[in-house]
Amino acid sequence: MQYDPIKDRVSEIIRLFPAVRKVFYTVLDMILLRQRYVKRGIQKYAPDGEEFLFYDAGAGFCQYSHFVLKRWRRARVFATDLKCGFLSDFAFTATASFPGRFSYFPADLQYFTPKNKYDMALAIDILEHIEDDRAVLKNFHEALKDGGHLIISTPSDTDEAAKFTEEHVRPGYNKAKLEDKLRDAGFEIVESLYSYGFWGALAWRVMIKHPLLLLQRSKLLLLPVIPYLILLYPIFELMMRLDMKTMNKSGTGILIVARKVVC
């Protein structure tokens, strides 16, 4: 399955109708369990106080940049992505809503390290797309202040869908091996868990995977898909909440929080 064409289409709609962006972010919060895990991690490990520097690496639609800028009124955010259009579109919005607090630069994370030192860095669903992931982790280490936190979310090697996503260069990660790579890069592991356990994976299949497969066959199927999602959403919501309250022994997603060791 290819997700980039879907993302590009959504980006075009947002570019034409900027007001759609906030609605889109709300929908992502509702249907993506990953975002709930990530935002919980940001809130848990963000520095005390309103002022801190946040590095959104591989920012995509910049939904996490928006979350930080809105939640912490004096935070400053720097974002990177290979797709400059995603960044510039959000920057247009951020200039009005968060003047002087958002900046960006299109970059390949294998070779790029920002000039500033950040309190927190975010890498959500990007490592599985990058061949030299060890170089990326070293660059993250260099980008953080001593004691700064890196939050990573990525598919695990039990995620069958990740094996068939054309944009991926590896079919997910073994959690222990990813932890080892982080330690080799100079991090200590603060928190490491599986997301999308039984309940989360089930919710993803029935709420996202199967509807997307139907829509790939015909856009006309959007007519029955929308009421299906609305009708069953309370059940999906319950399943996602159960996943977050369960210590999953395995799962199709991995969330790791690592800290740059103080020298």
Side-chain angles (χ1 to χ4, degrees):
M1 181 179 290
Q2 287 185 321
Y3 288 101
D4 278 352
I6 298 173
K7 294 177 182 178
D8 291 339
R9 197 167 299 121
V10 171
S11 180
E12 291 173 3
I13 294 171
I14 293 175
R15 190 174 297 119
L16 290 172
F17 307 100
V20 172
R21 181 180 294 275
K22 289 185 179 180
V23 176
F24 177 59
Y25 285 169
T26 300
V27 171
L28 292 181
D29 282 337
M30 291 176 65
I31 67 174
L32 291 184
L33 177 60
R34 174 181 64 250
Q35 292 207 176
R36 303 183 184 205
Y37 275 99
V38 172
K39 288 186 175 182
R40 185 175 71 178
I42 295 173
Q43 290 178 305
K44 183 176 180 180
Y45 294 103
D48 293 334
E50 290 285 309
E51 188 170 359
F52 73 99
L53 297 181
F54 183 81
Y55 177 25
D56 192 357
F61 291 109
C62 296
Q63 64 266 40
Y64 299 110
S65 294
H66 180 267
F67 172 70
V68 170
L69 289 166
K70 186 176 180 181
R71 171 65 176 77
W72 288 271
R73 302 294 182 179
R74 296 174 62 192
R76 286 181 289 155
V77 173
F78 173 72
T80 61
D81 199 278
L82 284 174
K83 295 190 175 184
C84 185
F86 287 6
L87 300 172
S88 59
D89 288 347
F90 178 73
F92 179 80
T93 299
T95 299
S97 302
F98 314 106
R101 296 172 52 209
F102 178 79
S103 59
Y104 70 92
F105 186 78
D108 185 331
L109 297 173
Q110 295 173 102
Y111 312 106
F112 176 76
T113 304
K115 295 179 180 179
N116 291 329
K117 298 289 186 180
Y118 292 85
D119 297 287
M120 178 176 286
L122 202 65
I124 308 305
D125 280 2
I126 61 170
L127 288 180
E128 66 274 15
H129 296 265
I130 299 174
E131 189 68 40
D132 193 354
D133 54 353
R134 289 185 180 273
V136 175
L137 294 178
K138 289 180 180 178
N139 290 338
F140 285 152
H141 186 271
E142 179 64 24
L144 287 167
K145 298 177 181 177
D146 286 349
H149 289 87
L150 170 64
I151 300 178
I152 292 174
S153 176
T154 188
S156 77
D157 54 7
T158 64
D159 184 358
E160 293 298 320
K163 298 176 182 178
F164 299 100
T165 301
E166 294 186 26
E167 295 93 350
H168 290 182
V169 300
R170 61 179 59 80
Y173 278 91
N174 175 280
K175 187 159 75 74
K177 291 182 179 178
L178 181 54
E179 291 172 6
D180 287 341
K181 287 186 177 183
L182 282 160
R183 293 188 185 97
D184 290 344
F187 289 97
E188 60 181 355
I189 306 303
V190 177
E191 186 174 352
S192 181
L193 56 86
Y194 286 107
S195 59
Y196 289 90
F198 173 80
W199 293 110
L202 178 61
W204 182 83
R205 287 196 299 272
V206 298
M207 185 168 61
I208 299 178
K209 179 182 178 180
H210 295 311
L212 281 178
L213 291 174
L214 288 173
L215 292 176
Q216 283 189 332
R217 295 180 183 178
S218 172
K219 300 299 184 292
L220 294 176
L221 292 173
L222 184 64
L223 296 176
V225 164
I226 290 178
Y228 160 81
L229 293 175
I230 294 174
L231 182 64
L232 295 182
Y233 183 77
I235 299 174
F236 302 147
E237 176 70 20
L238 177 61
M239 288 191 289
M240 288 189 289
R241 292 190 181 193
L242 285 171
D243 193 85
M244 293 192 71
K245 291 183 178 294
T246 302
M247 290 296 295
N248 298 311
K249 294 182 179 179
S250 64
T252 58
I254 297 170
L255 184 100
I256 296 180
V257 181
R259 181 168 50 223
K260 180 175 179 176
V261 177
V262 179
C263 299

